[in-house]
Amino acid sequence: MCYSAMVESNLRSFWRQYQGVLSYATVQEIFQKRLTDSSIRIPKAFEANFDSPTSPNDTEIKRLIDQYRAASLTKLEIELFAQKKRHADAERALKSKVTKKAQEDFRISGNKIETALDRINGIKRPELRPTDSRIFPFWYAPILIHENGRAVVKLARYHLRQPRQPESVDRKYPGLYNARRDNIEKFWRNEFGVSHALMIVDSFYENVERDGKNAVLHFVPKPAEPMLVACLYGVWNAGKEDELLSFAAITDEPPPEVAAAGHDRCIINLKPENVEKWLTPQGRSSAELQAILEDKQRPYYEHKLLAA
């Protein structure tokens, strides 16, 4: 599985490498929906593409980002005020008499104050950090697809809801952000050979078991070059207002160093010369597409254990 990744969010990179044109209409639609849908999460690094707008489309997206940030700050400041009051009340109560309720209120409010301050600082912080490019399942990320004979960059959700499936499939199958290669011609048969995408990734994270507990490993390719991740995508409820574009990264058997670290899957890192063929699967046989997936880049994936 690939439960989290550092994705390439700089649109200039997509243009330089693949002449990928941004689909402004779909990006604007997602930013607009985010104003009323708290489940939509977009990396701060992608928002940074519109910090200095140079076109009417850029300006409109920047307006939506600013509106979202202002609303988020208001909610966080209200929450911060409430938790500071709760914290102060618990502190006074503890000075009078130590009770379990006062101790819990003091502890929980302290944690919530710290979280709120971190989120406020994250919104206000002008400079980008590497983690501002990190996505998780159900987050939105830029992907490259071929549409009407050209390369197009779109924002898509990292968890593929296939057409004709009910919304409840998201909860029933929370692992649909990854598509196993050994199941690609079965469960994913409607996407494989039909709707292919590319996600560009600098590194990825995996959950493993260490001493009976969950641990998070951060894998970085050496040499440190962008990973060209083979993906599938789907459009749910096409043509309706609640249309959803979503995608899944294809995973395969892991290289020895990833297996030795304790994980049994790995995203597929395409060779640059195979990207165009992967993105244009129509007319290609399953055998040819499988050969593209097999003929992958094989860097050494170094890893480190993240602090708990």
Side-chain angles (χ1 to χ4, degrees):
M1 305 289 280
C2 176
Y3 102 95
S4 177
M6 295 284 200
V7 299
E8 174 59 66
S9 294
N10 190 326
L11 294 174
R12 286 188 291 272
S13 296
F14 283 95
W15 171 254
R16 284 195 304 267
Q17 297 180 62
Y18 306 107
Q19 288 74 56
V21 177
L22 179 66
S23 175
Y24 275 104
T26 56
V27 171
Q28 286 182 18
E29 181 181 2
I30 292 168
F31 277 109
Q32 181 69 53
K33 285 183 177 179
R34 186 175 65 159
L35 296 176
T36 55
D37 186 348
S38 61
S39 70
I40 295 177
R41 305 291 298 275
I42 302 170
K44 185 183 180 79
F46 185 80
E47 293 179 340
N49 288 291
F50 310 99
D51 283 349
S52 301
T54 59
S55 71
N57 283 325
D58 289 344
T59 300
E60 173 59 16
I61 293 175
K62 179 65 163 58
R63 184 189 68 80
L64 293 171
I65 292 171
D66 289 344
Q67 186 177 347
Y68 172 79
R69 290 178 177 174
S72 297
L73 285 172
T74 297
K75 290 179 182 178
L76 286 168
E77 286 163 356
I78 292 172
E79 170 70 7
L80 182 61
F81 178 83
Q83 294 304 324
K84 282 184 174 181
K85 182 180 183 303
R86 181 184 181 188
H87 198 70
D89 290 344
E91 187 175 29
R92 284 192 296 270
L94 287 170
K95 288 179 180 178
S96 173
K97 181 181 179 181
V98 176
T99 66
K100 184 175 181 180
K101 179 182 184 305
Q103 288 176 324
E104 284 295 287
D105 282 348
F106 187 80
R107 179 185 63 82
I108 294 170
S109 61
N111 291 338
K112 290 187 175 182
I113 288 170
E114 183 178 351
T115 298
L117 287 173
D118 284 345
R119 291 183 63 189
I120 288 170
N121 291 334
I123 293 172
K124 292 183 175 180
R125 170 172 46 82
E127 74 279 1
L128 290 179
R129 296 176 181 174
T131 52
D132 291 329
S133 296
R134 189 175 178 184
I135 66 162
F136 297 85
F138 294 99
W139 281 52
Y140 280 73
I143 59 171
L144 188 73
I145 66 174
H146 260 244
E147 191 174 74
N148 299 322
R150 66 175 184 173
V152 178
V153 180
K154 291 191 174 185
L155 268 184
R157 194 189 71 174
Y158 183 44
H159 185 277
L160 205 168
R161 184 192 300 165
Q162 296 168 307
R164 298 173 299 280
Q165 292 292 333
E167 290 185 58
S168 60
V169 73
D170 293 347
R171 298 183 298 275
K172 186 176 181 181
Y173 299 108
L176 295 181
Y177 53 89
N178 283 170
R180 291 178 61 103
R181 184 182 168 195
D182 56 13
N183 203 21
I184 204 170
E185 297 187 53
K186 299 175 184 176
F187 185 86
W188 303 101
R189 62 188 179 279
N190 292 324
E191 290 77 32
F192 181 57
V194 178
S195 51
H196 292 187
L198 182 79
M199 175 172 62
I200 304 177
V201 165
D202 292 326
S203 61
F204 61 97
Y205 301 79
E206 298 291 6
N207 288 302
V208 299
E209 183 178 316
R210 292 287 171 89
D211 300 322
K213 298 180 180 179
N214 182 71
V216 178
L217 302 183
H218 184 196
F219 289 91
V220 180
K222 298 296 180 181
E225 296 180 350
M227 300 175 62
L228 310 176
V229 180
C231 301
L232 303 173
Y233 76 89
V235 180
W236 183 83
N237 273 11
K240 296 185 179 180
E241 290 184 1
D242 56 351
E243 178 177 294
L244 172 69
L245 176 67
S246 57
F247 74 102
I250 301 175
T251 63
D252 203 356
E253 297 297 321
E257 67 274 17
V258 174
H263 201 65
D264 62 353
R265 306 297 298 169
C266 187
I267 46 181
I268 294 178
N269 187 1
L270 296 175
K271 288 183 177 179
E273 59 268 28
N274 287 334
V275 168
E276 179 71 18
K277 289 183 285 188
W278 175 254
L279 292 177
T280 55
Q282 290 76 16
R284 304 185 192 278
S285 67
S286 294
E288 182 181 359
L289 296 173
Q290 290 281 13
I292 291 172
L293 295 176
E294 184 64 29
D295 185 33
K296 56 196 169 190
Q297 297 190 79
R298 300 177 187 271
Y300 182 86
Y301 295 106
E302 291 185 351
H303 78 271
K304 65 178 180 179
L305 177 66
L306 296 191

